[in-house]
Amino acid sequence: PSVSADGVNWPRVKTLGMVLLIGAVLLLAIRVGIDLAAIVGADGIASSSAGGEITGGVAIGSSLVLLLLYIANLLVSLVVMVLGIFAAVMGRGRARLGGVLVAVGIPVATILYWILSIVMGIVLAASGAVDASGELTASHFRLVYGVDVVRAVLMGAVILLGAFFVHSTAKKKLSA
């Protein structure tokens, strides 16, 4: 292994950075895809949350797509978070900062999703934006997931920035 004078295996950190960049882009695509699939299938989500059945091709298709995207989100998030921890432990300087940004960005994105969902639910319920049974309508689900697209893009940008820090720092150290 080619360990530099500062005790860091920069070729390995560079490889970790590249994998983190790919994972961050994939994670961003998955998370935006979840929100878009939920927007498309909002009618099915609204009827199922009100106790009804999911009927129709679009509702069933979007539900299946959502299930697959949620599973992919879980798996990719875990891999990216673990690799971010590895990068934070192995790297120095900005590479370490990038690994921390990636590793912390995953749970922070989840916590922000919970907070945003609760706040949006409270605001919509308080404003009377519910149907006769007290459930959110499809248009309100579209609003909630539309706002969540912004959260997904912002958190995706933070994770991408961290992955970029890991890769670019290692690249600079190797070229020096």
Side-chain angles (χ1 to χ4, degrees), residues 9-29:
N9 186 342
W10 288 112
R12 185 171 291 157
V13 174
K14 182 181 175 190
T15 303
L16 268 176
M18 181 54 70
V19 173
L20 282 173
L21 281 169
I22 293 167
V25 169
L26 186 60
L27 200 55
L28 180 61

Side-chain angles (χ1 to χ4, degrees), residues 11 22 30 32 34 71 107 117 139 152 161 172 175:
I22 293 167
I30 289 169
V32 170
I34 287 171
I71 291 169
S117 296
S139 60
L161 179 67
K172 287 176 189 172
S175 66

